[in-house]
Amino acid sequence: MDIKELYQEIILDHGKNPRNKNICKDFNKDAKGHNPLCGDKVHIYLKLDNEKKLANISFEGEGCAISMASASIMTEIIKGKEFNVAKKIQEDFLNMIKKGSKLSMNSLSDTENTTMMSLSGVKRFPMRVKCATLAWHTFLEAVKGSKKIVNTEN
Amino acid sequence: MDIKELYQEIILDHGKNPRNKNICKDFNKDAKGHNPLCGDKVHIYLKLDNEKKLANISFEGEGCAISMASASIMTEIIKGKEFNVAKKIQEDFLNMIKKGSKLSMNSLSDTENTTMMSLSGVKRFPMRVKCATLAWHTFLEAVKGSKKIVNTEN
Amino acid sequence: MDTKDIKSKFPIFRNKVNGKQLVYLDSANSSQKPKTVIDRISKFYSKEFSNVGRSVHSLAVTATNRFEETRDLMQKYVNAKSREEIVFTKNATEAINLVASTYGEKFIESGDEILITELEHHANYVPWHFIREKKGAIIKFAKCNERGEVDIDEIKKLVTNKTKIIAVTHISNVTGAIMPIKKIVDLASQKKIPVLVDGCQGAPHVKVDMQELGCDFYAISCHKMYGPTGVGILYAKKKWLDILPPYQGGGGMIDQVNKDNISFPGSPTKYEAGTLQTAEVVGFSESIKFIEDVGIKNIMKHEKEILEYGLEKIKKNNSVKIIGEPKNRGSIISFTIKGIHPHDIATILDEDGVAIRAGHHCCQILHDKMGLAASARASLGIYNSKEDIDILSNAIKKCNKIFNN
Amino acid sequence: MDTKDIKSKFPIFRNKVNGKQLVYLDSANSSQKPKTVIDRISKFYSKEFSNVGRSVHSLAVTATNRFEETRDLMQKYVNAKSREEIVFTKNATEAINLVASTYGEKFIESGDEILITELEHHANYVPWHFIREKKGAIIKFAKCNERGEVDIDEIKKLVTNKTKIIAVTHISNVTGAIMPIKKIVDLASQKKIPVLVDGCQGAPHVKVDMQELGCDFYAISCHKMYGPTGVGILYAKKKWLDILPPYQGGGGMIDQVNKDNISFPGSPTKYEAGTLQTAEVVGFSESIKFIEDVGIKNIMKHEKEILEYGLEKIKKNNSVKIIGEPKNRGSIISFTIKGIHPHDIATILDEDGVAIRAGHHCCQILHDKMGLAASARASLGIYNSKEDIDILSNAIKKCNKIFNN
Ligand SMILES: Cc1ncc(COP(=O)(O)O)c(C=O)c1O
Ligand SMILES: Cc1ncc(COP(=O)(O)O)c(C=O)c1O
C-alpha cells in the first residue's frame, strides 16, 4: 500500500486550493457536518432551484486534506446537476469508498470520472473513510433540510 | 488437609449445643457483629463489673458451625476473667487463627487450652477465618462500648 | 452432547483442586472460560493492541474493528434491531445502574412507583433504592409464592398509574424460576411502562430474543457467558437511548465541548465514556462464537438434562431441602441441609473438589422471606455432566456423616 | 537503560506494521503490555479463575487473595496510608465520575464553584459539567499561559469562598506540562478545599507519592501503566471515602438489605459494586511489579533523555511547531506541521510503522484556545529509544516531501 495512492496529485491540489470554498450568496439550503473524533468540520451551502437542480453549491470548513479535497471535488462535480443525478453520484461515491465498487454512472465526463476516482485510495485507509464521506453525507442532509448536525460517529 | 481437622468433635459439639447462648440478664454492655458475605450474625452481651472483670457474658446469633462454636467457646473461656486477661486471650486467639502462632498464655487450664486449640484448624481455611473471629472482634467492641456494628468486611 | 469434549475446551479443568478433579458448580456466580477466549485476549495484547477509536494508526484501526465486531455479534445474539442498541458496560450491575440513574433522573418523581420483585438480586434493587432516596419514590415488591416464582397476577395487582418502571430478573439466581417476561411486557406496554430485565441468568442459558421478549432494557454480564471479567452489556431500545441523558462523562462520548456547554453524540457513543475494556470486549467475541458453535438449543437441552438428573438425585437425600419448585426452572439448584449451615456445606464439598456457593447470593430480601440466613447453591454450566452431580451427591452425604452422625 | 532488552519484554514489538518495525509513540493514549502481564491473565483464567470474595470454595479463595494483593501493591506504589484508600474502577474516567457524582451530590450547591483548568482532558471536565447542570454550580477555568502551563498564581486568583473543589491534571496530555500539585494542595488546604488530581499521565511516568502530593483524590488508568484494559484506580483519602455516599449499587457493596432500607459497609467495599475486573486486576499486579523492577527513577531518567533528544531533533525541522514549552515537561511532544493537517501526518507516519495520535486528544477547550482543530502527538513509554525518534523524524520529513514539495 503506497501512501501516494492516497495522496494523489489531484487530492493534494484540491486540498490546497479547494474549489467553491465560500458561502455562495444564493443558497437556500445548508447543513453542517462534524467528525468529533478528528474535528473535521464542513458546512454545505446550496441552491436547489424549482426544477430540483443544484443551481449552486459551496462549502466552508476545516479538516484534513482528504476531507477538504473531498468537499471540493464534490461541489465541483455536482454543481449544476439535477438533484437526482447528484444523489446517484453520491451513492456511487460511497460505494466506491466503502466497498471498493467501480463507479457505475456513465453520464460523467472523463475528467469528472478521474477526479472522483482520485479518492478511491481512501478505501484502503479505513480510519480515513469518514473524512472522505463527511461532505457527501452533509450534502444530503442539506437537501433534506434537516437541522441536525451530521455526525460521522453515528 | 483433612476436613476433620476443621470440624473437630469439640467444635461440632459447641456448634450444636452452644454454651451461653442467651441474653444474660445482668449485661451492661453489648455489641453486634455481622459478616455480610455469609450472613453470620452475632450479638455479644456482657457485664463488666467495677473491677473490670467479665462478671458475665453471653451471645445470640446465627451462622455456621465455626462462628457459633467460636462464640460459644469464647464465652466459656473468658467468662469470669479480668478484662485484661480476656484481651490477651483474644489476641492470642487471633494470632493463632491468622498467623498460626501457638497460644502464648500460660494461665489457661488444660481444658481451656484444648478447647481453644480446637479452632486452630481454621487457619488452613482462609475463607472461614472471618467466621471464627467475628465473635472475638465483637466482644472487644462491646467492651469499648462502640455503637458501630462490627463488619468483618472492613 | 459430549461434555468430555466440552470440558477439554476449558483449561481450568486440567487442574486439581485439593488433589481432586474440579467439579465446578458455581457458574451462576461466574463461568469458566474456554481456551479460545483466553487465547484471543493474549493474541490481542501480543499482536494487535491499541486503544480503540481514537488514533489513526493501523493498530488502532484493527483494534477498533475487532472491538466493534463484538457489538455486531452481540446484536445478533440477542436479536437487537440495531447495533446502536448494544452498550458496553463494566458488568450487569453497571448496566442496571445506568438505567436507574438516567431513567430515574429524568422520569421518576416523588410518589412514583418502581415495581420490582422479592426475587431480585441486589444489583436490581440497590440502584432503585438510590432513586427512591433521591426522588422520594416508592419501591413495590411483587411477592414470590411458595414455589419460588412470581406470578403474573401478583404483578398485575401491583401496577398502578404511578408505576414508572418494572424491573425484574429473567431467571432467579436462587430459585431458578424463569419469569414470564413476555406476559409482563404485554401488561406493561398497555400502560406504556418500560420493562427492565436483569438477564444475568438468562443470556448464558436460554434463547434470548429482544424482539420476542419485547422488553425495553436487558442487562447482561459477560463473565457469566464464558467471557472475560470486566465486561457487561446493556441492551436498550433505541428510543430510550435517544432520549435518556448521558451517564458517565469523559473522552469519546462528546460531540462539541466548550466552556459553557457540551453536546453529545448518539448511542452507544454517548454511554461509553473513557477507554473501554478493549481486550476484554475483543475476547468476548470468542465466547459468543463458542456458545453459537455449541448452539443455544443444545445448551438448553443439555443443562435441562443435568438439572433434572440433579434435582432427582439430590431430593433422594432426606435431610436435603431444595429451595423453590418453579414450573420453569433455569440451571440452578439451591438447597439447605438440616442441621448444617451452608458455609459448612461449601467447605466440606470443597474438600472433594466441588465448588458451590453458600450465602444469600445477593438476595437478602428473598432469604429473609424464606427465613434463611443463607443457602447452598449448585449452578450449572455447559461443561457439567451427570458425573459432576454424582460427585456432588456423594459430597452431600459426607456432610451428613460429619455433622449428623 | 537497555531499551532493546525492555522492548523484548513486550510481545507487540515482534510484529511488523505495514511491513515496518513498530515505532509506538502513542503511550499517552494506551501503553503496550509486557509478556508477564499477558501471561498472568492467561494463567489466571486457565488455572485459578473464580469470582472474587463471594464463594467459599478454594478457587474463590485464591482469586480473592490474588485480587487483593494488587490493592496492596497499589497502596505501596502510590504510598497511600491504607489499602482501604484504593478503589478499583473501570478506568480513570469512572474514578473521576465517582468523585464528581458523590462529592458533587453531597457538597456542591447552586452558585458554588468548581475550579478546573484549560488543560483538562474531557474526563476531568464533563463529569463536573454534569454537576454544574444538576446543581447550578459554576465551573471556572484556570487559564493556560503561552508556555502551555497553568501558573499557580492563576489558580490563586480564581479561588474564592465558593470554591468547593479544585480538579486538575497532574501532567497535561497535550503540552506535557507538569502541574505544581503540591503548591495547589497547599493553597487549597488553607481554605479546606479538596483537590482531585487526574493522574493518568502521572502515575505511569513519574514518582507518585500521596503523602508528598497531599491531594485528596488521585485518578489512574491502569491501561496506561502497562496494564490490562478495563481497570482504573481511585485513590481517595479515607476521610472522604468514609463520608461520601456510595456510587453504583449492587451485590458486594451492601451491609444489611431490607425492603425499606439498605446499609453499606466501609470503603473500598462500598464503592465496588458487582463483579469486578477480576482477571484484569490480577494481571495488573504484574504491571506494577514490572515498573518497580525497572524502577520509576530509571524510567524517569530514560524518558527524559528520549524526550530531550526528541524535542531537539524535531525542532530542527523548520516547518514543525512544537506545542507548549513548559518548564517541567512529561513524556509528551505535541506538534503541528505547516500546511499539513495532523490526520494526514498520522496517516503518512503510519506507513512507516510510526504510531502517533492526531486529533484534539480529548482536550477541545485547549485546542480552541490555541486556535487549532487538532494536533499531532508523539508520547513516550518505557520501551522507546532514540532510534524511534530518528524514524519519527524521518517520517516527518516525508510528510513535508509529499505535501510541501
Ligand atoms: C490526562 C488524561 N485524563 C484522563 C484520561 C482518560 O483515561 P481513561 O480513558 O482511561 O479513563 C486520559 C487518557 O485518555 C488522559 O490522558
Ligand atoms: C440475577 C443476577 N443479577 C445480577 C447479577 C450481578 O452481575 P454482575 O456482578 O456481573 O454485575 C448477578 C450475578 O452476580 C445475578 O445472578
Side-chain angles (χ1 to χ4, degrees):
Chain A
M1 176 160 55
D2 187 356
I3 197 73
K4 278 283 185 186
E5 255 184 67
L6 181 62
Y7 295 106
Q8 298 186 19
E9 280 309 323
I10 303 181
I11 291 183
L12 292 176
D13 176 43
H14 274 271
K16 274 183 222 164
N17 314 298
R19 327 295 197 260
N20 306 307
K21 194 166 178 209
N22 54 54
I23 307 180
C24 60
K25 300 258 158 49
D26 51 348
F27 80 93
N28 56 11
K29 286 177 181 291
D30 73 310
K32 285 181 185 175
H34 180 217
N35 182 344
L37 237 55
C38 38
D40 289 344
K41 277 177 196 168
V42 71
H43 194 154
I44 302 283
Y45 304 87
L46 58 87
K47 179 177 165 67
L48 197 67
D49 69 14
N50 293 338
E51 275 99 51
K52 287 244 167 197
K53 214 174 74 175
L54 291 159
N56 207 350
I57 180 161
S58 70
F59 78 104
E60 289 256 289
E62 52 180 342
C64 63
I66 306 296
S67 70
M68 291 300 104
S70 182
S72 170
I73 287 170
M74 178 187 80
T75 57
E76 198 178 53
I77 289 182
I78 67 179
K79 190 194 268 188
K81 295 211 164 60
E82 308 258 325
F83 170 66
N84 278 338
V85 176
K87 189 153 179 291
K88 271 264 161 57
I89 296 176
Q90 194 248 19
E91 282 160 16
D92 242 30
F93 176 79
L94 294 184
N95 282 333
M96 173 180 82
I97 296 287
K98 290 184 179 167
K99 302 185 197 149
S101 327
K102 289 250 156 65
L103 294 177
S104 71
M105 295 285 295
N106 42 29
S107 63
L108 293 182
S109 74
D110 278 1
T111 333
E112 286 174 333
N113 239 317
T114 314
T115 310
M116 288 257 295
M117 284 299 292
S118 73
L119 279 159
S120 65
V122 173
K123 70 170 181 287
R124 292 169 67 177
F125 295 82
M127 276 320 252
R128 311 307 302 278
V129 164
K130 285 175 181 175
C131 310
T133 58
L134 181 61
W136 297 78
H137 286 301
T138 310
F139 148 65
L140 221 63
E141 287 305 314
V143 173
K144 278 192 210 155
S146 112
K147 280 282 153 276
K148 78 161 193 265
I149 295 175
V150 176
N151 185 320
T152 54
E153 258 321 272
N154 302 315
Chain B
M1 179 160 55
D2 186 357
I3 196 73
K4 278 284 183 187
E5 257 184 65
L6 181 62
Y7 294 107
Q8 299 187 19
E9 280 309 322
I10 303 182
I11 291 184
L12 292 175
D13 176 43
H14 274 271
K16 273 183 221 163
N17 313 299
R19 328 294 198 259
N20 305 307
K21 193 164 179 212
N22 55 54
I23 308 180
C24 60
K25 300 256 157 53
D26 51 348
F27 80 91
N28 56 12
K29 286 176 182 289
D30 73 310
K32 284 181 186 176
H34 180 218
N35 181 344
L37 237 55
C38 36
D40 290 342
K41 276 178 199 167
V42 71
H43 194 155
I44 302 283
Y45 303 88
L46 60 87
K47 178 179 167 63
L48 198 65
D49 69 14
N50 291 338
E51 277 97 51
K52 287 242 166 198
K53 215 173 75 174
L54 290 159
N56 207 352
I57 180 161
S58 69
F59 78 103
E60 290 255 291
E62 52 181 342
C64 62
I66 307 296
S67 70
M68 291 300 104
S70 183
S72 169
I73 287 170
M74 178 186 81
T75 55
E76 199 178 51
I77 288 181
I78 66 179
K79 189 193 270 190
K81 294 212 165 60
E82 307 258 323
F83 169 65
N84 278 340
V85 175
K87 190 154 179 292
K88 271 263 161 61
I89 297 175
Q90 193 245 20
E91 281 162 16
D92 242 30
F93 176 78
L94 294 183
N95 282 333
M96 173 180 83
I97 298 287
K98 289 184 180 167
K99 301 185 198 148
S101 326
K102 289 250 154 66
L103 295 178
S104 70
M105 295 284 298
N106 41 29
S107 63
L108 293 182
S109 74
D110 277 1
T111 331
E112 285 174 335
N113 238 318
T114 314
T115 310
M116 289 256 296
M117 285 300 292
S118 73
L119 281 159
S120 67
V122 174
K123 70 171 182 289
R124 293 168 70 176
F125 295 82
M127 276 320 254
R128 309 308 301 279
V129 165
K130 285 174 180 175
C131 311
T133 59
L134 182 61
W136 298 77
H137 286 301
T138 309
F139 150 63
L140 221 61
E141 285 305 316
V143 173
K144 276 193 214 157
S146 112
K147 280 280 152 281
K148 77 163 195 265
I149 295 175
V150 177
N151 186 317
T152 54
E153 258 320 273
N154 300 314
Chain C
M1 206 164 74
D2 183 354
T3 21
K4 277 250 173 55
D5 184 48
I6 296 272
K7 263 195 185 162
S8 75
K9 294 190 168 134
F10 290 76
I12 193 101
F13 294 111
R14 284 176 218 154
N15 306 290
K16 300 256 163 181
V17 171
N18 297 325
K20 307 275 167 49
Q21 182 196 319
L22 170 63
V23 174
Y24 191 75
L25 292 166
D26 198 15
S27 295
N29 188 351
S30 194
S31 61
Q32 296 297 340
K33 324 301 173 201
K35 187 163 187 305
T36 48
V37 172
I38 303 172
D39 288 352
R40 185 68 191 90
I41 297 172
S42 288
K43 185 180 162 208
F44 182 73
Y45 280 132
S46 302
K47 297 188 188 266
E48 303 167 284
F49 181 74
S50 159
N51 206 338
V52 153
R54 303 187 174 189
S55 294
V56 184
H57 54 77
S58 299
L59 285 175
V61 176
T62 312
T64 306
N65 291 345
R66 293 298 96 79
F67 184 93
E68 292 299 332
E69 273 165 26
T70 305
R71 205 188 300 276
D72 293 332
L73 286 172
M74 204 56 205
Q75 179 201 342
K76 279 184 212 121
Y77 188 79
V78 300
N79 193 22
K81 274 201 180 134
S82 78
R83 63 193 314 281
E84 284 80 23
E85 296 183 323
I86 305 293
V87 176
F88 288 111
T89 62
K90 183 166 62 176
N91 46 31
T93 300
E94 178 167 86
I96 299 173
N97 275 274
L98 190 162
V99 178
S101 173
T102 58
Y103 179 87
E105 207 60 70
K106 193 163 171 135
F107 291 109
I108 297 179
E109 302 298 336
S110 174
D112 282 347
E113 293 167 6
I114 297 158
L115 178 49
I116 71 174
T117 84
E118 290 179 339
L119 290 177
E120 298 317 310
H121 188 280
H122 295 158
N124 200 19
Y125 170 32
V126 189
W128 302 111
H129 168 73
F130 290 158
I131 291 298
R132 169 168 68 185
E133 298 259 291
K134 229 176 238 167
K135 294 300 195 91
I138 293 154
I139 298 182
K140 285 193 172 174
F141 291 85
K143 287 213 168 52
C144 134
N145 64 24
E146 63 297 328
R147 304 177 76 93
E149 313 162 320
V150 177
D151 231 74
I152 181 74
D153 290 333
E154 166 69 11
I155 292 182
K156 200 176 278 171
K157 234 170 52 194
L158 294 177
V159 172
T160 74
N161 288 331
K162 299 223 141 226
T163 309
K164 281 292 153 62
I165 191 156
I166 303 179
V168 294
T169 192
H170 192 172
I171 300 182
S172 160
N173 65 319
V174 177
T175 69
I178 301 179
M179 293 281 289
I181 301 296
K182 266 167 75 174
K183 286 185 189 157
I184 296 173
V185 171
D186 279 350
L187 183 70
S189 60
Q190 286 165 25
K191 301 217 170 202
K192 296 222 162 71
I193 304 166
V195 176
L196 174 141
V197 177
D198 172 353
C200 277
Q201 302 300 338
H205 301 288
V206 297
K207 196 167 180 324
V208 169
D209 182 325
M210 291 306 122
Q211 303 319 311
E212 208 182 300
L213 288 180
C215 57
D216 299 82
F217 304 101
Y218 194 92
I220 292 173
S221 262
C222 300
H223 67 94
K224 297 185 206 273
M225 275 180 75
Y226 312 104
T229 44
V231 196
I233 283 163
L234 172 67
Y235 157 83
K237 278 189 182 159
K238 191 159 181 313
K239 68 167 182 190
W240 290 114
L241 295 177
D242 283 348
I243 60 167
L244 291 177
Y247 178 53
Q248 295 181 331
M253 54 72 77
I254 53 86
D255 185 13
Q256 296 275 1
V257 175
N258 62 48
K259 285 187 182 176
D260 302 316
N261 206 5
I262 301 178
S263 65
F264 303 99
S267 155
T269 316
K270 175 166 72 167
Y271 291 105
E272 294 180 347
T275 303
L276 296 191
Q277 309 90 311
T278 325
E280 293 70 38
V281 169
V282 171
F284 183 55
S285 68
E286 291 296 329
S287 311
I288 309 173
K289 285 179 198 160
F290 173 79
I291 292 178
E292 294 195 327
D293 277 356
V294 180
I296 190 74
K297 282 198 185 139
N298 290 329
I299 295 176
M300 289 166 72
K301 189 164 157 268
H302 172 69
E303 289 185 11
K304 198 177 153 87
E305 202 179 308
I306 307 297
L307 180 75
E308 281 169 2
Y309 181 78
L311 285 169
E312 211 47 54
K313 190 115 191 180
I314 292 168
K315 263 183 204 155
K316 281 206 188 113
N317 195 320
N318 281 333
S319 57
V320 175
K321 196 171 165 297
I322 289 175
I323 294 175
E325 212 179 340
K327 277 166 240 152
N328 294 306
R329 186 195 276 268
S331 310
I332 284 166
I333 309 178
S334 296
F335 60 95
T336 52
I337 307 182
K338 217 178 146 212
I340 318 184
H341 191 279
H343 269 198
D344 297 313
I345 301 173
T347 299
I348 297 170
L349 263 52
D350 187 49
E351 276 295 295
D352 285 349
V354 180
I356 62 152
R357 189 167 169 201
H360 52 55
H361 319 307
C362 300
C363 292
Q364 274 193 21
I365 300 286
L366 181 62
H367 278 80
D368 280 356
K369 164 147 187 154
M370 301 187 300
L372 295 171
S375 62
R377 180 182 72 187
S379 56
L380 304 177
I382 196 168
Y383 27 61
N384 289 119
S385 61
K386 290 189 181 166
E387 200 196 335
D388 291 342
I389 298 291
D390 294 340
I391 298 173
L392 166 68
S393 173
N394 285 334
I396 289 178
K397 284 191 194 120
K398 194 165 156 188
C399 295
N400 270 318
K401 223 175 268 161
I402 293 175
F403 268 78
N404 298 335
N405 247 6
Chain D
M1 207 165 73
D2 182 354
T3 23
K4 278 249 173 58
D5 184 47
I6 296 272
K7 262 194 187 163
S8 75
K9 296 192 167 132
F10 290 76
I12 194 100
F13 293 112
R14 283 175 217 154
N15 307 291
K16 303 255 164 186
V17 172
N18 297 324
K20 307 274 165 50
Q21 181 197 320
L22 169 63
V23 174
Y24 192 74
L25 292 166
D26 199 15
S27 295
N29 188 350
S30 194
S31 61
Q32 296 297 340
K33 323 302 172 200
K35 188 163 187 301
T36 48
V37 172
I38 303 173
D39 288 351
R40 185 68 191 89
I41 297 172
S42 288
K43 185 181 160 207
F44 182 73
Y45 280 132
S46 301
K47 295 187 190 266
E48 303 166 284
F49 180 73
S50 159
N51 206 337
V52 153
R54 302 187 175 190
S55 293
V56 184
H57 54 76
S58 300
L59 285 175
V61 176
T62 312
T64 306
N65 291 344
R66 294 298 94 80
F67 184 93
E68 292 298 333
E69 273 164 27
T70 305
R71 204 188 301 274
D72 293 332
L73 287 171
M74 205 56 205
Q75 180 201 342
K76 279 183 211 120
Y77 188 79
V78 301
N79 192 22
K81 273 201 182 135
S82 78
R83 63 194 312 282
E84 284 79 23
E85 296 183 325
I86 305 295
V87 176
F88 288 112
T89 62
K90 183 165 63 176
N91 47 30
T93 300
E94 178 169 83
I96 299 173
N97 275 274
L98 190 164
V99 178
S101 173
T102 58
Y103 180 88
E105 207 61 68
K106 191 161 172 137
F107 292 108
I108 297 179
E109 302 299 334
S110 175
D112 282 346
E113 295 167 6
I114 296 158
L115 178 49
I116 70 173
T117 84
E118 290 179 342
L119 291 176
E120 298 316 311
H121 187 280
H122 294 158
N124 200 19
Y125 170 33
V126 188
W128 303 112
H129 168 73
F130 291 158
I131 291 296
R132 169 167 69 186
E133 299 258 291
K134 230 176 237 169
K135 294 298 195 92
I138 293 154
I139 298 181
K140 285 191 172 178
F141 291 85
K143 286 212 169 52
C144 133
N145 62 24
E146 63 296 327
R147 305 176 76 92
E149 312 161 321
V150 177
D151 233 73
I152 181 73
D153 290 332
E154 167 68 12
I155 292 183
K156 200 176 280 172
K157 234 171 51 194
L158 294 177
V159 172
T160 74
N161 289 330
K162 298 224 144 223
T163 310
K164 282 291 154 62
I165 192 157
I166 303 178
V168 295
T169 191
H170 192 171
I171 300 181
S172 159
N173 65 320
V174 176
T175 69
I178 301 180
M179 292 282 287
I181 301 298
K182 265 166 75 173
K183 286 184 191 159
I184 295 173
V185 171
D186 280 349
L187 183 71
S189 59
Q190 286 164 27
K191 301 215 170 203
K192 297 222 162 75
I193 304 166
V195 176
L196 174 140
V197 177
D198 172 353
C200 277
Q201 302 301 338
H205 300 289
V206 297
K207 195 166 180 325
V208 169
D209 182 326
M210 291 306 121
Q211 304 318 311
E212 207 183 302
L213 288 180
C215 57
D216 298 82
F217 305 100
Y218 194 92
I220 293 172
S221 261
C222 301
H223 67 94
K224 297 187 206 273
M225 276 181 75
Y226 312 105
T229 44
V231 196
I233 283 163
L234 172 66
Y235 157 83
K237 280 190 182 159
K238 191 158 181 313
K239 69 167 183 190
W240 289 114
L241 294 177
D242 284 347
I243 60 169
L244 292 176
Y247 178 54
Q248 294 182 332
M253 55 72 76
I254 51 84
D255 185 14
Q256 295 275 1
V257 175
N258 62 48
K259 285 186 179 174
D260 302 315
N261 205 5
I262 301 178
S263 64
F264 303 99
S267 154
T269 316
K270 176 166 74 168
Y271 291 105
E272 294 180 347
T275 303
L276 296 192
Q277 309 90 313
T278 325
E280 294 69 38
V281 168
V282 171
F284 183 55
S285 67
E286 292 295 329
S287 311
I288 308 173
K289 286 179 197 160
F290 173 79
I291 292 179
E292 295 197 325
D293 277 355
V294 180
I296 189 74
K297 281 198 184 138
N298 290 328
I299 295 176
M300 288 167 73
K301 188 163 158 269
H302 171 72
E303 288 185 12
K304 197 175 154 85
E305 201 180 309
I306 308 296
L307 180 74
E308 280 168 4
Y309 181 79
L311 285 169
E312 210 47 53
K313 190 115 193 181
I314 293 168
K315 264 182 201 154
K316 282 204 186 116
N317 195 321
N318 281 332
S319 58
V320 175
K321 199 172 162 293
I322 288 176
I323 293 176
E325 212 180 340
K327 279 166 238 152
N328 294 307
R329 185 194 276 268
S331 311
I332 284 166
I333 308 177
S334 296
F335 61 95
T336 53
I337 307 181
K338 219 178 143 213
I340 318 183
H341 190 279
H343 269 198
D344 296 313
I345 300 173
T347 299
I348 297 170
L349 264 52
D350 186 50
E351 276 295 296
D352 286 348
V354 180
I356 62 152
R357 190 166 167 200
H360 52 56
H361 319 306
C362 300
C363 293
Q364 274 193 23
I365 301 286
L366 181 63
H367 278 81
D368 280 356
K369 165 146 186 155
M370 301 187 299
L372 295 171
S375 62
R377 180 184 71 188
S379 56
L380 305 177
I382 196 168
Y383 27 61
N384 290 119
S385 61
K386 290 190 181 167
E387 199 197 334
D388 291 343
I389 298 290
D390 294 340
I391 298 173
L392 166 68
S393 173
N394 286 334
I396 289 178
K397 285 193 192 118
K398 194 165 156 189
C399 295
N400 271 318
K401 221 175 269 161
I402 292 175
F403 268 76
N404 297 334
N405 247 3

